[in-house]
Amino acid sequence: SEGTRAQIDRLSDGFKGDAAERRRLAVVSWAAMVGAMMIARGIDDKKLSEELLSETRAWIEGTVGVQ
């Protein structure tokens, strides 16, 4: 739990807004990144794996403005 908490705290420092909004953005971004990585690593279709990662990254960049 401490490692996850530390990553969320680190991510939240990079967002704009009040503390609650920064934390919300950090939580959803972290969950999307980790989920996409787990799925991408768990399948044997390289093209689909790359698509999962690139589309998740694009969604995060477009939704929360992180690059």
Side-chain angles (χ1 to χ4, degrees):
S1 295
E2 286 305 313
T4 298
R5 191 172 288 111
Q7 289 297 329
I8 290 169
D9 290 345
R10 185 183 63 79
L11 281 173
S12 69
D13 291 340
F15 295 119
K16 295 179 182 176
D18 64 28
E21 178 65 7
R22 291 193 319 267
R23 181 163 180 81
R24 185 186 74 78
L25 292 172
V27 167
V28 299
S29 297
W30 181 248
M33 288 186 281
V34 171
M37 190 179 312
M38 289 177 64
I39 295 167
R41 287 184 177 179
I43 60 176
D44 61 0
D45 183 330
K46 184 175 179 165
K47 184 176 178 180
L48 179 57
S49 177
E50 290 173 358
E51 181 182 15
L52 282 164
L53 295 173
S54 67
E55 290 300 326
T56 301
R57 180 181 179 148
W59 179 83
I60 291 169
E61 288 174 351
T63 301
V64 298
V66 175
Q67 296 183 355

Coordinates of all heavy atoms in Angstrom, one line a residue:
S1 N 0.8 -1.2 0.0 CA 0.0 0.0 0.0 C 0.9 1.3 0.0 O 0.5 2.3 -0.6 CB -0.9 0.0 1.2 OG -1.8 -1.0 1.2
E2 N 2.0 1.2 0.7 CA 2.8 2.4 0.8 C 3.4 2.8 -0.6 O 3.4 4.0 -0.9 CB 3.9 2.2 1.8 CG 3.4 2.3 3.3 CD 2.7 3.6 3.6 OE1 3.1 4.7 3.2 OE2 1.6 3.5 4.2
G3 N 3.8 1.8 -1.4 CA 4.3 2.1 -2.7 C 3.3 2.8 -3.6 O 3.5 3.8 -4.3
T4 N 2.0 2.2 -3.6 CA 1.0 2.8 -4.3 C 0.6 4.2 -3.9 O 0.5 5.1 -4.7 CB -0.3 1.9 -4.3 OG1 0.1 0.6 -4.8 CG2 -1.5 2.5 -5.0
R5 N 0.5 4.4 -2.6 CA 0.3 5.7 -2.0 C 1.3 6.7 -2.4 O 1.0 7.8 -2.8 CB 0.2 5.6 -0.5 CG -0.4 6.8 0.2 CD -0.6 6.6 1.7 NE -1.8 5.7 1.9 CZ -1.7 4.5 2.4 NH1 -0.6 3.9 2.7 NH2 -2.8 3.8 2.5
A6 N 2.6 6.3 -2.4 CA 3.7 7.2 -2.8 C 3.6 7.6 -4.2 O 3.8 8.8 -4.6 CB 5.0 6.5 -2.5
Q7 N 3.2 6.6 -5.1 CA 3.1 7.0 -6.5 C 1.9 7.9 -6.8 O 2.0 8.9 -7.5 CB 2.8 5.7 -7.4 CG 4.1 4.8 -7.5 CD 5.2 5.5 -8.2 OE1 5.0 6.4 -9.1 NE2 6.4 5.2 -7.8
I8 N 0.8 7.7 -6.1 CA -0.3 8.6 -6.2 C 0.0 10.0 -5.7 O -0.3 11.0 -6.4 CB -1.6 8.0 -5.5 CG1 -2.1 6.8 -6.3 CG2 -2.7 9.1 -5.3 CD1 -3.1 6.0 -5.5
D9 N 0.7 10.1 -4.6 CA 1.1 11.4 -4.0 C 2.1 12.1 -5.0 O 1.9 13.3 -5.2 CB 1.8 11.2 -2.7 CG 0.8 10.8 -1.6 OD1 -0.4 10.9 -1.8 OD2 1.3 10.4 -0.5
R10 N 3.0 11.3 -5.6 CA 3.9 11.9 -6.6 C 3.2 12.4 -7.8 O 3.5 13.6 -8.2 CB 5.0 10.9 -7.0 CG 6.1 11.4 -7.8 CD 7.1 10.4 -8.3 NE 6.4 9.3 -9.1 CZ 6.1 9.5 -10.4 NH1 6.4 10.6 -11.0 NH2 5.6 8.5 -11.1
L11 N 2.3 11.6 -8.3 CA 1.5 12.1 -9.5 C 0.7 13.3 -9.2 O 0.6 14.2 -10.0 CB 0.6 11.0 -10.0 CG 1.2 9.8 -10.8 CD1 0.2 8.7 -11.0 CD2 1.8 10.4 -12.1
S12 N 0.1 13.4 -8.0 CA -0.8 14.5 -7.7 C -0.1 15.8 -7.6 O -0.7 16.8 -7.9 CB -1.6 14.2 -6.4 OG -0.7 14.3 -5.3
D13 N 1.2 15.8 -7.3 CA 2.0 17.0 -7.3 C 2.1 17.6 -8.7 O 2.3 18.8 -8.8 CB 3.4 16.7 -6.8 CG 3.4 16.4 -5.4 OD1 2.5 16.7 -4.6 OD2 4.4 15.8 -4.9
G14 N 1.8 16.9 -9.8 CA 2.0 17.4 -11.1 C 0.7 17.9 -11.7 O 0.7 18.5 -12.8
F15 N -0.4 17.8 -11.0 CA -1.7 18.3 -11.5 C -2.1 19.7 -10.9 O -1.6 20.0 -9.8 CB -2.8 17.3 -11.1 CG -2.7 16.0 -11.8 CD1 -2.5 14.8 -11.0 CD2 -2.7 15.9 -13.2 CE1 -2.4 13.6 -11.6 CE2 -2.5 14.6 -13.8 CZ -2.4 13.5 -13.0
K16 N -2.9 20.4 -11.6 CA -3.4 21.6 -11.2 C -4.8 21.4 -10.5 O -5.4 20.4 -10.7 CB -3.6 22.6 -12.3 CG -2.3 23.0 -13.0 CD -2.6 23.9 -14.2 CE -1.2 24.2 -14.8 NZ -1.3 25.0 -16.0
G17 N -5.2 22.4 -9.7 CA -6.5 22.3 -9.0 C -6.3 22.2 -7.5 O -5.1 22.2 -7.0
D18 N -7.4 22.0 -6.8 CA -7.3 21.9 -5.3 C -6.8 20.4 -5.0 O -6.7 19.6 -5.9 CB -8.6 22.2 -4.7 CG -9.8 21.3 -5.0 OD1 -9.5 20.1 -5.4 OD2 -10.9 21.7 -5.0
A19 N -6.5 20.2 -3.7 CA -6.0 18.9 -3.3 C -6.8 17.7 -3.7 O -6.3 16.7 -4.1 CB -5.7 19.0 -1.8
A20 N -8.2 17.9 -3.5 CA -9.1 16.8 -3.8 C -9.1 16.4 -5.3 O -9.0 15.3 -5.7 CB -10.5 17.1 -3.4
E21 N -9.1 17.5 -6.2 CA -9.0 17.3 -7.6 C -7.7 16.7 -8.1 O -7.7 15.8 -8.9 CB -9.3 18.6 -8.4 CG -9.3 18.5 -9.9 CD -10.4 17.6 -10.5 OE1 -11.3 17.2 -9.8 OE2 -10.3 17.4 -11.7
R22 N -6.6 17.2 -7.5 CA -5.3 16.6 -7.9 C -5.2 15.1 -7.5 O -4.7 14.3 -8.3 CB -4.2 17.4 -7.2 CG -4.0 18.8 -7.8 CD -2.7 19.5 -7.3 NE -2.4 19.3 -5.9 CZ -2.7 20.1 -5.0 NH1 -3.4 21.2 -5.2 NH2 -2.4 19.8 -3.7
R23 N -5.7 14.8 -6.3 CA -5.7 13.4 -5.9 C -6.6 12.5 -6.8 O -6.2 11.4 -7.2 CB -6.1 13.3 -4.4 CG -6.1 11.8 -4.0 CD -6.1 11.7 -2.5 NE -6.0 10.3 -2.0 CZ -4.9 9.6 -1.9 NH1 -3.8 10.2 -2.2 NH2 -5.0 8.4 -1.6
R24 N -7.8 13.0 -7.1 CA -8.7 12.2 -8.0 C -8.0 12.0 -9.3 O -8.0 10.8 -9.8 CB -10.0 13.0 -8.2 CG -11.0 12.2 -9.1 CD -12.2 13.0 -9.4 NE -11.9 14.0 -10.4 CZ -11.8 13.8 -11.7 NH1 -12.0 12.5 -12.2 NH2 -11.6 14.7 -12.6
L25 N -7.4 13.0 -9.9 CA -6.7 12.8 -11.2 C -5.5 11.8 -11.1 O -5.3 11.0 -12.0 CB -6.2 14.1 -11.7 CG -7.3 15.1 -12.2 CD1 -6.7 16.5 -12.5 CD2 -8.1 14.6 -13.4
A26 N -4.8 11.9 -10.0 CA -3.7 11.0 -9.8 C -4.2 9.5 -9.6 O -3.6 8.6 -10.2 CB -2.9 11.4 -8.5
V27 N -5.3 9.3 -8.9 CA -5.8 8.0 -8.7 C -6.3 7.4 -10.0 O -5.9 6.2 -10.3 CB -6.9 8.0 -7.6 CG1 -7.7 6.7 -7.6 CG2 -6.4 8.3 -6.2
V28 N -7.0 8.1 -10.8 CA -7.5 7.5 -12.0 C -6.4 7.3 -13.0 O -6.4 6.4 -13.8 CB -8.7 8.3 -12.6 CG1 -9.9 8.3 -11.7 CG2 -8.3 9.7 -13.0
S29 N -5.5 8.2 -13.1 CA -4.3 8.1 -14.0 C -3.5 6.8 -13.6 O -3.1 6.0 -14.5 CB -3.5 9.3 -14.0 OG -4.2 10.4 -14.4
W30 N -3.2 6.7 -12.4 CA -2.4 5.6 -11.9 C -3.1 4.2 -12.2 O -2.6 3.3 -12.7 CB -2.1 5.7 -10.4 CG -1.3 4.6 -9.8 CD1 -1.7 3.6 -8.9 CD2 0.1 4.3 -10.1 NE1 -0.7 2.8 -8.7 CE2 0.4 3.2 -9.4 CE3 1.0 4.9 -11.0 CZ2 1.7 2.6 -9.4 CZ3 2.3 4.3 -11.0 CH2 2.6 3.2 -10.3
A31 N -4.4 4.2 -11.9 CA -5.2 3.0 -12.1 C -5.3 2.6 -13.6 O -5.1 1.5 -14.0 CB -6.6 3.2 -11.6
A32 N -5.4 3.6 -14.5 CA -5.4 3.4 -15.9 C -4.1 2.9 -16.4 O -4.0 1.9 -17.2 CB -5.8 4.7 -16.7
M33 N -3.0 3.5 -15.9 CA -1.7 3.1 -16.4 C -1.4 1.7 -15.9 O -0.9 0.8 -16.7 CB -0.6 4.0 -15.8 CG -0.6 5.4 -16.5 SD 0.8 6.4 -15.9 CE 0.1 7.0 -14.3
V34 N -1.6 1.4 -14.7 CA -1.3 0.0 -14.2 C -2.2 -1.0 -14.8 O -1.7 -2.1 -15.2 CB -1.4 0.0 -12.6 CG1 -1.3 -1.4 -12.1 CG2 -0.4 0.9 -12.0
G35 N -3.5 -0.7 -15.0 CA -4.4 -1.7 -15.6 C -4.0 -1.9 -17.0 O -4.0 -3.1 -17.4
A36 N -3.7 -0.9 -17.8 CA -3.3 -1.1 -19.2 C -2.0 -1.9 -19.3 O -1.9 -2.8 -20.1 CB -3.1 0.2 -19.9
M37 N -1.1 -1.7 -18.4 CA 0.2 -2.4 -18.4 C -0.1 -3.9 -18.1 O 0.5 -4.8 -18.7 CB 1.2 -1.8 -17.4 CG 2.6 -2.4 -17.6 SD 3.8 -1.7 -16.5 CE 3.5 0.0 -16.6
M38 N -0.9 -4.2 -17.1 CA -1.2 -5.5 -16.7 C -1.8 -6.3 -17.9 O -1.5 -7.4 -18.2 CB -2.0 -5.6 -15.5 CG -1.3 -5.2 -14.2 SD -2.4 -5.1 -12.8 CE -2.8 -6.8 -12.6
I39 N -2.8 -5.7 -18.5 CA -3.5 -6.3 -19.6 C -2.6 -6.5 -20.8 O -2.5 -7.6 -21.4 CB -4.8 -5.5 -20.0 CG1 -5.8 -5.5 -18.9 CG2 -5.4 -6.1 -21.3 CD1 -6.9 -4.5 -19.1
A40 N -1.8 -5.5 -21.1 CA -0.9 -5.6 -22.2 C 0.2 -6.7 -22.1 O 0.5 -7.3 -23.0 CB -0.2 -4.2 -22.4
R41 N 0.6 -6.8 -20.8 CA 1.6 -7.9 -20.6 C 1.0 -9.3 -20.5 O 1.7 -10.3 -20.7 CB 2.3 -7.6 -19.3 CG 3.3 -6.4 -19.4 CD 4.1 -6.2 -18.1 NE 5.0 -5.2 -18.2 CZ 5.8 -4.8 -17.2 NH1 5.7 -5.4 -16.0 NH2 6.7 -3.8 -17.4
G42 N -0.3 -9.3 -20.3 CA -0.9 -10.6 -20.1 C -1.5 -11.2 -21.4 O -2.0 -12.3 -21.4
I43 N -1.4 -10.5 -22.5 CA -1.9 -11.1 -23.8 C -0.8 -11.4 -24.7 O 0.3 -10.8 -24.6 CB -2.9 -10.1 -24.4 CG1 -2.3 -8.7 -24.7 CG2 -4.1 -9.9 -23.5 CD1 -3.3 -7.8 -25.4
D44 N -1.0 -12.2 -25.7 CA 0.0 -12.6 -26.6 C -0.1 -12.0 -28.0 O 0.6 -12.3 -28.9 CB 0.1 -14.1 -26.8 CG -1.2 -14.7 -27.3 OD1 -2.1 -14.0 -27.6 OD2 -1.3 -16.0 -27.5
D45 N -0.9 -11.0 -28.1 CA -1.1 -10.2 -29.4 C -0.3 -8.9 -29.2 O -0.8 -8.0 -28.6 CB -2.6 -10.0 -29.6 CG -2.9 -9.3 -30.9 OD1 -2.0 -8.5 -31.4 OD2 -4.0 -9.5 -31.5
K46 N 0.8 -8.8 -29.8 CA 1.7 -7.7 -29.7 C 1.0 -6.4 -30.2 O 1.1 -5.3 -29.6 CB 3.0 -7.9 -30.4 CG 4.0 -6.7 -30.2 CD 5.3 -7.0 -30.8 CE 6.1 -5.7 -30.6 NZ 7.5 -5.9 -30.8
K47 N 0.3 -6.5 -31.3 CA -0.4 -5.3 -31.9 C -1.5 -4.8 -30.9 O -1.5 -3.6 -30.7 CB -1.0 -5.7 -33.2 CG -1.6 -4.5 -33.9 CD -2.1 -4.9 -35.3 CE -2.8 -3.6 -35.9 NZ -3.3 -4.0 -37.3
L48 N -2.2 -5.7 -30.3 CA -3.3 -5.3 -29.4 C -2.6 -4.7 -28.1 O -3.1 -3.8 -27.6 CB -4.2 -6.5 -29.1 CG -5.3 -6.2 -28.1 CD1 -6.2 -5.1 -28.5 CD2 -6.1 -7.5 -27.8
S49 N -1.6 -5.4 -27.7 CA -0.9 -4.9 -26.5 C -0.4 -3.4 -26.7 O -0.6 -2.6 -25.8 CB 0.3 -5.8 -26.2 OG 1.1 -5.3 -25.2
E50 N 0.2 -3.2 -27.8 CA 0.7 -1.8 -28.1 C -0.5 -0.8 -28.2 O -0.4 0.3 -27.8 CB 1.5 -1.8 -29.4 CG 2.9 -2.5 -29.2 CD 3.6 -2.7 -30.5 OE1 3.1 -2.3 -31.6 OE2 4.7 -3.3 -30.5
E51 N -1.6 -1.3 -28.8 CA -2.7 -0.4 -28.9 C -3.3 -0.1 -27.5 O -3.7 1.1 -27.3 CB -3.8 -1.1 -29.8 CG -5.1 -0.3 -29.9 CD -6.2 -1.0 -30.7 OE1 -6.1 -2.2 -30.9 OE2 -7.1 -0.3 -31.2
L52 N -3.4 -1.0 -26.7 CA -3.8 -0.8 -25.3 C -3.0 0.3 -24.6 O -3.5 1.2 -24.0 CB -3.8 -2.1 -24.5 CG -4.9 -3.1 -24.7 CD1 -4.6 -4.4 -24.1 CD2 -6.2 -2.5 -24.1
L53 N -1.7 0.2 -24.7 CA -0.8 1.1 -24.1 C -0.9 2.5 -24.7 O -1.0 3.5 -24.0 CB 0.6 0.6 -24.1 CG 0.9 -0.7 -23.3 CD1 2.3 -1.2 -23.6 CD2 0.6 -0.5 -21.8
S54 N -0.9 2.5 -26.0 CA -0.9 3.9 -26.7 C -2.2 4.6 -26.5 O -2.3 5.8 -26.3 CB -0.6 3.7 -28.2 OG -1.6 3.0 -28.9
E55 N -3.3 3.8 -26.6 CA -4.7 4.5 -26.4 C -4.9 4.9 -24.9 O -5.5 6.0 -24.7 CB -5.8 3.5 -26.8 CG -5.8 3.3 -28.3 CD -6.1 4.6 -29.1 OE1 -6.8 5.5 -28.6 OE2 -5.5 4.7 -30.2
T56 N -4.3 4.2 -24.0 CA -4.4 4.6 -22.6 C -3.6 5.8 -22.4 O -4.1 6.8 -21.7 CB -4.0 3.5 -21.6 OG1 -4.8 2.3 -21.9 CG2 -4.1 3.9 -20.2
R57 N -2.4 5.8 -22.9 CA -1.6 7.1 -22.8 C -2.3 8.3 -23.4 O -2.3 9.3 -22.8 CB -0.3 6.8 -23.5 CG 0.6 8.0 -23.4 CD 2.0 7.8 -24.0 NE 2.8 9.0 -23.9 CZ 4.1 9.0 -23.8 NH1 4.7 7.9 -23.8 NH2 4.7 10.2 -23.7
A58 N -2.9 8.1 -24.6 CA -3.6 9.2 -25.3 C -4.8 9.7 -24.5 O -5.0 10.9 -24.3 CB -4.0 8.8 -26.7
W59 N -5.5 8.7 -23.9 CA -6.6 9.1 -23.0 C -6.2 9.9 -21.8 O -6.8 10.9 -21.5 CB -7.4 7.8 -22.6 CG -8.6 8.2 -21.7 CD1 -9.8 8.6 -22.1 CD2 -8.6 8.2 -20.3 NE1 -10.6 8.8 -21.0 CE2 -9.9 8.6 -19.9 CE3 -7.6 7.9 -19.3 CZ2 -10.2 8.6 -18.6 CZ3 -8.0 7.9 -18.0 CH2 -9.3 8.3 -17.6
I60 N -5.1 9.4 -21.2 CA -4.6 10.2 -20.0 C -4.2 11.6 -20.4 O -4.5 12.5 -19.7 CB -3.5 9.4 -19.3 CG1 -4.1 8.1 -18.6 CG2 -2.8 10.3 -18.3 CD1 -3.0 7.1 -18.2
E61 N -3.4 11.7 -21.5 CA -2.9 13.0 -21.9 C -4.1 13.9 -22.3 O -4.1 15.1 -21.9 CB -2.0 12.8 -23.1 CG -0.7 12.2 -22.7 CD 0.2 11.9 -23.9 OE1 -0.3 12.0 -25.1 OE2 1.4 11.6 -23.7
G62 N -5.1 13.4 -22.9 CA -6.2 14.2 -23.3 C -7.2 14.5 -22.2 O -7.8 15.6 -22.2
T63 N -7.3 13.6 -21.3 CA -8.3 13.8 -20.2 C -7.7 14.6 -19.0 O -8.4 15.6 -18.5 CB -8.7 12.4 -19.6 OG1 -9.3 11.7 -20.7 CG2 -9.8 12.6 -18.5
V64 N -6.5 14.3 -18.6 CA -5.9 15.0 -17.5 C -4.8 16.0 -17.9 O -4.3 16.7 -17.0 CB -5.5 14.1 -16.4 CG1 -6.6 13.3 -15.8 CG2 -4.4 13.1 -16.8
G65 N -4.5 16.0 -19.1 CA -3.5 17.0 -19.6 C -2.1 16.7 -19.2 O -1.2 17.6 -19.1
V66 N -1.7 15.4 -19.0 CA -0.4 15.0 -18.6 C 0.3 14.4 -19.9 O -0.2 13.7 -20.6 CB -0.4 13.9 -17.5 CG1 1.0 13.4 -17.2 CG2 -1.1 14.5 -16.3
Q67 N 1.6 14.8 -20.0 CA 2.4 14.3 -21.2 C 3.7 13.8 -20.7 O 4.2 14.2 -19.7 CB 2.6 15.4 -22.2 CG 1.4 15.9 -22.8 CD 1.6 16.9 -23.9 OE1 2.7 17.3 -24.1 NE2 0.5 17.3 -24.5

